[in-house]
Amino acid sequence: MNNELYKLIYAIITILITSGCFGYINYNILEKLTVIVDRPNNETDKKQKIMIFTGVNVGLYWILTTVLNCEISLSILLVLLFDVVGTIWIIKPLIELINSLINKIRNTSGQSYTDNRETRDYIFNTNKIQTLFIFDFDNNLITCGYLDYQQSGDNNYFDLALIPLDAPENQYSFEQVVEETSKHKDSRILVDFEKKIKIYILRY
């Protein structure tokens, strides 16, 4: 290959990698796996994370092309392979390990557990069957049912898809639900102060 053409291709590929295109792949995969979660209006943190992943990709690409003398096409394929496979098998477990260690340190110092997920995602994302009873702040039952689907917490709009229970809704009183919830250690209560609702969640 002509030396000038090689330099041109190398420069174009380097621009693509350093511009954040490859770093966004890492970020997008980790976001889909809820390993990292950024608020919709917080673009600064998102850009910083993409820059970090971009730096990792640039370093890997430099090692492959300069130190190991790999062809450009092979280097690109290896970087893309790392972005997909490496993100899932290396970066994801590493981030989870760091978060686990941080929470252990917080626990020993008497601080509360911290998680980067939205509260709704933290509560609802489980493989257990969940029965939901939704009350207003006056303890009036709004609706109830088995959780079928909930929209991701990174969406500002909050809705739930419920499967109707076997018994009619008017058979469930607030006192019965509170009593039943207290019997199960896995039960949770989600309080939404903005919408003024309380969601009692029974897990089985």
Side-chain angles (χ1 to χ4, degrees):
M1 181 184 292
N2 183 279
N3 191 44
E4 292 298 323
L5 181 59
Y6 178 87
K7 289 182 179 179
L8 177 61
I9 295 175
Y10 184 87
I12 292 173
I13 298 300
T14 302
I15 290 172
L16 287 174
I17 295 176
T18 56
S19 66
C21 295
F22 283 39
Y24 184 78
I25 297 175
N26 304 98
Y27 179 89
N28 192 48
I29 292 174
L30 292 172
E31 186 181 39
K32 298 301 182 186
L33 295 172
T34 65
V35 176
I36 56 175
V37 177
D38 289 319
R39 302 294 186 270
N41 58 348
N42 197 343
E43 287 295 319
T44 302
D45 284 350
K46 179 178 179 178
K47 290 178 181 177
Q48 288 175 345
K49 292 182 179 72
I50 292 177
M51 286 176 61
I52 292 172
F53 296 136
T54 298
V56 172
N57 284 307
V58 170
L60 178 59
Y61 181 72
W62 179 82
I63 291 173
L64 291 169
T65 56
T66 306
V67 179
L68 301 179
N69 294 317
C70 293
E71 291 290 333
I72 291 178
S73 57
L74 177 60
S75 299
I76 295 172
L77 287 175
L78 290 175
V79 172
L80 286 172
L81 182 64
F82 171 78
D83 283 345
V84 178
V85 179
T87 299
I88 297 172
W89 288 355
I90 299 175
I91 298 179
K92 176 180 179 290
L94 184 61
I95 293 176
E96 290 175 339
L97 176 62
I98 293 173
N99 288 338
S100 177
L101 291 174
I102 291 174
N103 278 314
K104 285 183 179 180
I105 294 172
R106 288 175 62 90
N107 187 46
T108 54
S109 62
Q111 294 177 300
S112 61
Y113 177 84
T114 182
D115 195 288
N116 60 0
R117 289 175 292 176
E118 292 275 359
T119 304
R120 300 204 308 265
D121 292 337
Y122 172 73
I123 290 179
F124 291 133
N125 288 350
T126 175
N127 56 3
K128 296 181 179 180
I129 297 174
Q130 299 183 93
T131 307
L132 275 56
F133 296 88
I134 306 175
F135 294 89
D136 60 22
F137 277 10
D138 293 323
N139 299 333
N140 298 310
L141 181 64
I142 298 173
T143 189
C144 58
Y146 300 108
L147 179 63
D148 184 40
Y149 175 79
Q150 71 94 16
Q151 204 165 30
S152 176
D154 59 4
N155 191 307
N156 289 330
Y157 189 77
F158 181 27
D159 58 5
L160 298 168
L162 303 178
I163 300 174
L165 300 178
D166 299 331
E169 292 185 3
N170 57 15
Q171 291 191 14
Y172 300 98
S173 68
F174 177 74
E175 290 75 16
Q176 290 174 323
V177 172
V178 172
E179 182 180 356
E180 189 65 24
T181 303
S182 64
K183 295 178 182 178
H184 300 275
K185 292 183 178 179
D186 281 343
S187 296
R188 296 291 186 273
I189 303 172
L190 176 62
V191 181
D192 190 325
F193 291 98
E194 181 182 350
K195 297 173 178 58
K196 297 182 179 180
I197 59 173
K198 299 179 292 185
I199 304 178
Y200 286 78
I201 305 160
L202 279 71
R203 294 174 174 174
Y204 303 96

